[in-house]
Amino acid sequence: MFFDVLNSALSSMTNGPRNLVRAISFVAEGDDGESANVSAKSLLEFLHSVGPADETVTILRRRLAHWDNDDAAWTQETQKNTEERRQLIYGKLGLDADWKTFCEARLPFQPLARPTVIAVEHKPWYTDEVRKGRNFYWTRYAEQLVKQGWPDESIINLNDSTNSVVERLADPTSEEAYQSKGLVVGYVQSGKTANFTGVLAKAADAGYRLFIVLGGLLDVLRSQTQRRIDKELIGRELLSREYVNDPDYADFVSHGAKPSELGAFDWSRLTGPEHDYQKLAYGVEALKFERRDPSHPFYHPNNLFAANARIAVVKKNSKVLAKLIADLAALQRQGIGEPLDQIPALIIDDESDQASINVKKPAGPDEEQERTATNKAIVTLLNMLPRAQYIGYTATPFANVFVDPDSEEDIFPKDFLISLPRPVGYMGVSDFYDFDFGQDDVGPNRRDFVRDIVGEDDNPDNLQKALDSFVLTGAIKLWRSRQDAKLKFRHHTMLVHMSQSVAEHKAAAIKVRKLYASAGYDGGKGLDRVEKLFLMDFAPVTLRRTEDLPFPDKFEELQECLGECLEMIGESADAVRIINNEHKDQTPDFDKQPIWKILVGGTKLSRGYTVEGLTVSYYRRRAGSGDTLMQMGRWFGFRRGYGDLVRLYIGTAEKVGNSKKTIDLYEAFGGVCRDEEAFRAQLKRYSSMEEPRITPGQIPPLVPQHMLRPTAPNKMRNAVIEFRNFGGELAESTIAPTDGQCKESNNRALERMLAGKSATLRSFEAETRSGMRRLDALTVPFGTTEVVRFLQEYSWYDPKNRDAKFGNPLALQIEFLKGDAGDHGIRDWVLLGPKISNPRGVHQLAGAAFDVVYRSRREEAGRFNTYNDPVHRAFAEHICAQATLERANDELNSLVNKHRGVMIYYPITEEEKPKNSKSAKPARPPFTVGFTLLFPNNNIQRTLSFSVRRKDQPNEAMIFVDE
């Protein structure tokens, strides 16, 4: 009753919000049933009485969110996605104080995260008029996502981010042919496919007619992508019979009739779910474009919007691409259909940092560039299709697409780089790490979701407990689905990721099967273990984490669901699947049937492949580079309805080869994640620059500033950073030598910086993000001249390190501190030496004993994971007035100065951190000089400026080879 009245009232507001009370009264007066008694007052009372998921509340929330981001004339030039817009909405709705109070409390305005865009200037063409005039496929795609349970804010975000991509492409109806090339950076397992499917829909609506989707290196990835596009975009009316036995066929989008019969256009598919591109497999007509109006070229609106669209979802394989290239060439050679230079085309390259890059050595001045086969095929397609646009999608911001100088200009994202915001409902880095907590603290995310693996798999707290968690969480999912029909869990999976070796996959699978078979889940000790896990782990975490998801009060409530869960998982022989190229028959097809299994694998699980229903991850695999490590983060993703049940079991003392050295994989991931978040933050800062505007061609030289070296040490792109304003920023290069003499030299340089100075012990107190904290620290004052000299003298690399030719990684900071480009505003510095519990020793400096800390290096030589501790950093930011801490004591406030820089100093040992630090021997010098610089804000207006190596080609994203 209340839903029908509100829905009708809101539906009548086709041209924007208008008086809600009158609209409700009008609907009620026209009804002879129960709705006739509904008033604005009784409706408000009802809304107060129901929960946030009630459909009546939902429809009001959805409409407010729509108006928050509308571009129609009623908006009176208010900016969308702003509080000002929301207040205008309330005014037009004529809400009284009670209604407004309800909306502010239950449906408050929430600004949506916008994508970060770094791009060259472009001619606007994808206007509101274009978007609203031709939106057949986008509208149906958005409706399909609603049916799949996507939150309203997620669809609004998707609409916004896909607009940002499509508007950067060339106008498909333009007489001038232009190839736009860009890169879209998402998060691992964050819905990149959903984003580029939205881009496909909007680009097709706008006039693009040939689409080539490079769907990964594996057949399973290509097939997965094909089905997603067929299900959510193409629609049942345009599909052949290959999906009629698909269990989800009823959920495929349906247009009601062929789109061409509804005033739109149809799609012609060149590939299918089981078949990659075959040479003219569907006949020559499949690639033939024809003009309806011979007096105009094909790209003219008279022809373009009447033509069908063609789409090929192909494996990123040079042999497959060669078939497509050959067919396009044959059509052109035989004069069949329209010339290729008249066809607006779009190439979507999923996982574009993999295989697409040319890794061959750059050619000399008079030599033809040699290319890898896949890269050559992509470049050939672009050369054949002058109106083709190229968009690469990746999840790794440090991907080779824009950091590897061996990558030639052909697919370099010269036009735009778009960093997508973190999606709503996504479990990512910030859910598994506690970057605001001290390094000796166990923050809430690690406490709740992460379980350390130490020792062998047969340790009861390792693989066995992970298996117990898998069984228990499956039972809880089933129990939840009985309590709430909206909670449906089709898949339930566990990931075991130990190695890339196929032989080791077999051994791991045998181990898991044996352990699962002997687990005793049907009663006795097995059931006791699961009950203990329920009481000691899952019940407390869920209690802390959520109030919206149901959870059993007692373990006994799960008995029936445990049995059902074990049935769905199956006997031990069938419960475990091996996912690699030697066991293709075991690769689960999540689209065709429910999967409740334990998946053991390596490379195939590392990139692109979506493991649906993933709840428990058992991870022990090392990786040699940061982007590879991030791509293995399969535990990131959407966990709607079971986010509180996710557990990550990860090795924290994994052996490195045959040595005694170990690596903490959790810490290694954390280091890469910090780099990624820092880089995204910098991209956001640079994107706001107007004069001069930063372009994608200027991004590569920024990467070394974020502590990663280019992959080819003797190459640099044309752009060179000339000046960077570090005001209000943190600078930390964790590159440091391993050579003892270099370490000793750095200690002497630090002593010279502090010569004649004395350290003072101080006690600070303040409220940080992790709560009220106390920090005892040694402080030493010094000047800018001294810090510049120290940075110049510091030895960053071992003498024989090939990266030494890159020089000083803090060279830009040195130039900034010299003040030649403007007054940096720093009048003095203070060195901050934190005192810690259980130090590894002491380092005598400036007449005081500084505590030695343990830090580990990454596997790539020369780099530490991090130096600074988040709590120490918070106090340092307060001192230099970057940020303000609440309840700061007088001793801390006495150091605050907006013209003061701070150096946090850590004498570091790499000797393995002992289990019992009280009885351990002190670490031995020489210690690594680890430090972090914090710069106060200043009044310099420039953020960043560039010069170029080749003055004759200032705008080219070219390769410059150092002589």
Side-chain angles (χ1 to χ4, degrees), residues 464 515-530 566:
Q464 181 66 74
L515 199 56
Y516 183 78
S518 62
Y521 293 124
D522 54 348
K525 292 183 178 180
L527 208 56
D528 291 342
R529 288 196 318 272
V530 175
L566 292 170

Side-chain angles (χ1 to χ4, degrees), residues 222 343 498 539 543 858:
R222 191 212 70 81
I343 300 172
M498 297 186 187
L543 182 64
R858 298 193 183 183

Side-chain angles (χ1 to χ4, degrees), residues 578-604:
I578 300 176
I579 313 301
N580 59 33
N581 286 332
E582 285 193 11
H583 298 80
K584 292 183 179 181
D585 58 320
Q586 294 189 32
T587 302
D589 190 333
F590 292 100
D591 297 327
K592 293 184 178 178
Q593 59 186 342
I595 302 295
W596 285 56
K597 302 297 176 187
I598 302 161
L599 310 181
V600 177
T603 302
K604 187 177 283 191

Side-chain angles (χ1 to χ4, degrees), residues 11-219:
S11 297
S12 69
M13 302 180 191
T14 55
N15 296 316
R18 58 186 178 82
N19 191 282
L20 181 62
V21 174
R22 286 202 294 267
I24 292 171
S25 298
F26 181 79
V27 172
E29 288 173 4
D31 194 294
D32 296 329
E34 292 183 351
S35 297
N37 297 319
V38 175
S39 65
K41 182 178 180 180
S42 63
L43 176 57
L44 182 58
E45 290 174 352
F46 172 78
L47 292 173
H48 274 295
S49 69
V50 297
D54 182 84
E55 61 179 353
T56 312
V57 177
T58 298
I59 192 140
L60 179 56
R61 180 191 299 111
R62 182 171 295 164
R63 184 53 65 97
L64 289 172
H66 168 75
W67 286 328
D68 283 338
N69 293 273
D70 198 5
D71 292 315
W74 67 266
T75 59
Q76 299 179 2
E77 298 183 353
T78 56
Q79 293 293 315
K80 64 181 180 180
N81 196 32
T82 61
E83 181 63 43
E84 182 186 14
R85 168 68 64 80
R86 176 57 74 91
Q87 294 305 317
L88 175 67
I89 295 169
Y90 291 157
K92 286 188 170 291
L93 288 171
L95 300 186
D96 62 21
D98 291 339
W99 267 94
K100 189 172 181 180
T101 298
F102 170 80
C103 291
E104 293 286 4
R106 296 280 299 276
L107 308 171
F109 165 70
Q110 295 180 334
L112 297 172
R114 301 295 308 281
T116 297
V117 180
I118 292 179
V120 298
E121 290 190 42
H122 72 290
K123 183 179 179 180
W125 67 274
Y126 193 59
T127 60
D128 294 342
E129 184 179 357
V130 172
R131 292 199 294 266
K132 293 182 178 180
R134 298 188 180 278
N135 60 4
F136 181 90
Y137 282 101
W138 164 252
T139 299
R140 281 149 183 80
Y141 178 54
E143 291 171 349
Q144 180 75 359
L145 296 180
V146 171
K147 292 178 183 177
Q148 293 177 11
W150 275 51
D152 301 332
E153 56 266 39
S154 295
I155 295 175
I156 293 171
N157 263 331
L158 182 65
N159 182 40
D160 186 45
S161 62
T162 49
N163 282 346
S164 296
V165 175
V166 176
E167 69 184 3
R168 298 289 168 178
L169 306 179
D171 181 353
T173 65
S174 172
E175 292 188 9
E176 178 186 1
Y178 179 79
Q179 286 191 337
S180 176
K181 302 185 180 81
L183 179 71
V184 179
V185 181
Y187 290 79
V188 174
Q189 296 282 284
S190 66
K192 295 185 298 298
T193 305
N195 188 278
F196 70 65
T197 303
V199 168
L200 290 172
K202 289 185 174 182
D205 285 336
Y208 282 90
R209 286 298 176 262
L210 177 60
F211 297 87
I212 301 168
V213 180
L214 307 180
L217 297 179
L218 303 174
D219 290 325

Side-chain angles (χ1 to χ4, degrees), residues 425-532:
Y426 174 72
M427 285 192 75
V429 175
S430 60
D431 296 287
F432 291 90
Y433 287 87
D434 303 278
F435 292 138
D436 291 330
F437 282 72
Q439 293 176 351
D440 292 330
D441 299 330
V442 178
N445 290 335
R446 179 162 191 170
R447 175 199 63 200
D448 290 349
F449 298 129
V450 182
R451 304 293 176 260
D452 295 355
I453 302 174
V454 180
E456 300 301 323
D457 294 320
D458 56 11
N459 182 317
D461 285 333
N462 292 343
L463 187 55
Q464 181 66 74
K465 187 169 284 188
L467 288 172
D468 293 345
S469 297
F470 175 59
V471 171
L472 175 59
T473 53
I476 296 173
K477 285 183 178 181
L478 292 172
W479 184 89
R480 276 185 179 166
S481 64
R482 295 182 180 184
Q483 313 307 308
D484 186 346
K486 294 180 181 178
L487 294 175
K488 298 178 181 179
F489 306 102
R490 186 180 182 190
H491 307 295
H492 178 59
T493 53
M494 173 178 171
L495 173 67
V496 178
H497 200 162
M498 297 186 187
S499 168
Q500 62 181 358
S501 166
V502 172
E504 291 186 36
H505 297 165
K506 294 179 182 178
I510 291 172
K511 181 185 297 185
V512 175
R513 287 188 180 113
K514 286 183 177 179
L515 199 56
Y516 183 78
S518 62
Y521 293 124
D522 54 348
K525 292 183 178 180
L527 208 56
D528 291 342
R529 288 196 318 272
V530 175
E531 181 175 7
K532 183 179 178 181

Side-chain angles (χ1 to χ4, degrees), residues 38 87 198 206 243 252 269 445 477 481 484 533 601 624 641 660 691 791 794 846 856 860:
V38 175
Q87 294 305 317
Y243 290 111
F252 278 48
R269 297 180 309 138
N445 290 335
K477 285 183 178 181
S481 64
D484 186 346
L533 196 60
K660 294 182 179 180
E691 295 295 336
L791 294 176
Y794 191 93
S856 62
E860 57 260 40

